[in-house]
Amino acid sequence: QNWTRGMSYCLHSESCLDTGPIYVRENGKLHVVNQGTGGVQNVTPKTRPFRLFSRGFSVELCMNREDDRARRQRTDHFIFTYTKEGNLRYSAKSLFSLVLGYISDNVDHIDSLIGFPEQIAEKLFSAAEARQKFTEPVTGLRALQKFTEAYGSLVLCSLCLRNRYLVISEKLEEIKSFRELTCLDLSCCKLGDEHELLEHLTKEALSSVKRLLLKDNSLSDAGLRRVTAPVRVLKKGLENLLVLDLSCNPKITDVGIGYLLSFKKLNCLDISGTGLKDINAVIKRIQTQMGLVHSKVPLKEFDHSNCKTEGWAEQTVLQWEQAVMEAIKPQDNSSSRTAALHFYGKTHRIEEVVTCKLVEAETKTSGNLQFYKEKVPNCHLPLKKEVVGSHELKNGKKRALAEQERERTSKQKHLCLTVEDWDLLNTY
């Protein structure tokens, strides 16, 4: 009786916990303790065992409890691997990887990376890139700017956006944040003369560009005047340009070619497919005033194989492109949309990817108008010996004509600026 009273007292003191019936085995028999009266009754054991937890009860192992309020995605601090025998083993992550992951999750809150070791910064950039931090609309731009301000060409030294006009329109600010680019391919993007990216080319941040490919971009003489204005007057902007591709822009005329004379360091030029009227006069002008020779064979600088996206942000640019392609991917209900078009008597419009096409008519009339500078290593394809020999015979005459042209242009230097040029410079 004393034992049952003690048991009853314990049950009443812990009545807040529903433990279910309690079984006691005494003298080889099973007894159940009655919680109401505190007595012991003889019962036969049930065949169905009592469930300690409900059927839908589950257990979750939670780590990083400090992030519960923010409901952030928790990361495991252990690395689980399987051995050849099929056994599961785990090892703790290093402190460096844990800190690297934490900083990459909050990379947009970094104040500055100037002076930070570039070896660690590359790992930090890769970790943030794997988490797709640079694809976010606002925070991604802010994080990318911190890296480009500190490391410049290491983040991206070459950018190829050939036929990627959708990426340019969606990620224009991110593209403008890249500094110290040496190669930029904007071919077949149909930018036009008034695009914001063309205006950005004249900024000091892209003064390091040496290869600029603007093939098939609907450019005219006005666009060339805007791009070359800082170089012609202020000696800034694209002053270090070595390779320039302006082919397949039929609105560029003989007047626009005159704006290119300010590129003193230019080694290779392609103006095929432009709207030139007097081709022979333009060729002679380029040879005498720029020192470039008309090439009889296509140059390897303009085959678009040397310009590739290179740098830490190479995968970031691919992520941008994949996001744009996912956005324009046709939806599943395209069949119903097609049926509706047939119902209203309309034909289905086939949306094809715009590809870069040459302006065949202008190219046939003008021919191959590619120029190169002689005695420059790795600048052009090896020409035939007879062609090279003929060029060497004419070197004396070209030098004399070049000296006369320099004297004439030096005298007229103060007259080269027009009112339109001054109005354009006032906008910078």
Side-chain angles (χ1 to χ4, degrees), residues 79-310:
I79 302 175
F80 293 91
T81 57
Y82 283 95
T83 61
K84 295 181 179 179
E85 294 79 10
N87 299 327
L88 181 64
R89 292 185 179 181
Y90 69 93
S91 59
K93 292 184 179 179
S94 63
L95 180 60
F96 175 78
S97 61
L98 296 178
V99 174
L100 193 67
Y102 177 79
I103 298 177
S104 60
D105 287 333
N106 303 274
V107 68
D108 56 302
H109 297 291
I110 297 177
D111 293 333
S112 177
L113 289 170
I114 298 177
F116 197 71
E118 60 186 40
Q119 294 83 358
I120 308 301
E122 184 179 2
K123 296 181 180 296
L124 179 60
F125 189 93
S126 300
E129 188 179 56
R131 291 166 169 79
Q132 296 187 353
K133 289 294 181 178
F134 302 115
T135 59
E136 299 176 0
V138 179
T139 58
L141 174 60
R142 185 165 58 246
L144 187 62
Q145 288 175 346
K146 300 301 179 182
F147 283 94
T148 55
E149 290 174 359
Y151 304 102
S153 60
L154 292 177
V155 178
L156 209 65
C157 62
S158 179
L159 178 59
C160 180
L161 296 174
R162 182 170 59 253
N163 202 18
R164 299 293 184 269
Y165 52 92
L166 292 178
V167 178
I168 295 176
S169 60
E170 293 293 332
K171 297 295 180 180
L172 179 60
E173 295 299 325
E174 285 81 355
I175 294 172
K176 290 168 60 177
S177 66
F178 292 123
R179 297 169 176 262
E180 300 181 9
L181 288 175
T182 58
C183 182
L184 181 59
D185 190 352
L186 299 175
S187 302
C188 312
C189 290
K190 305 292 185 180
L191 299 180
D193 295 332
E194 303 295 332
H195 200 276
E196 188 177 352
L197 185 56
L198 289 180
E199 182 181 354
H200 181 66
L201 292 176
T202 62
K203 305 297 182 181
E204 189 177 357
L206 292 182
S207 60
S208 59
V209 174
K210 296 182 179 180
R211 292 173 52 88
L212 181 59
L213 307 179
L214 295 174
K215 176 182 179 181
D216 192 10
N217 268 284
S218 303
L219 296 178
S220 65
D221 297 340
L224 290 184
R225 185 171 62 87
R226 291 173 58 88
V227 173
T228 59
V231 182
R232 289 187 286 114
V233 182
L234 303 176
K235 304 301 179 183
K236 295 182 180 180
L238 299 172
E239 56 181 351
N240 297 317
L241 199 61
L242 300 179
V243 179
L244 178 61
D245 186 2
L246 295 173
S247 59
C248 302
N249 289 289
K251 294 182 180 181
I252 297 178
T253 62
D254 305 32
V255 178
I257 301 300
Y259 298 130
L260 304 179
L261 303 178
S262 57
F263 295 130
K264 302 300 180 181
K265 299 181 180 179
L266 201 63
N267 292 333
C268 297
L269 175 64
D270 189 0
I271 54 175
S272 305
T274 53
L276 302 180
K277 297 180 181 180
D278 193 347
I279 298 177
N280 295 327
V282 171
I283 294 176
K284 184 177 179 181
R285 190 178 184 184
I286 292 176
Q287 289 178 348
T288 56
Q289 298 185 20
M290 300 182 66
L292 301 179
V293 180
H294 184 208
S295 177
K296 302 298 181 181
V297 294
L299 303 178
K300 65 179 182 180
E301 277 72 18
F302 303 111
D303 60 356
H304 298 271
S305 62
N306 296 328
C307 186
K308 300 178 181 179
T309 302
E310 297 178 356

Side-chain angles (χ1 to χ4, degrees), residues 37 46 75 78 171 205 227 242 289 305 323 341 350 372 376-377:
T37 59
K46 297 181 180 181
T75 56
F78 299 95
K171 297 295 180 180
V227 173
L242 300 179
Q289 298 185 20
S305 62
L341 292 175
I350 302 176
Y372 68 96
V376 177

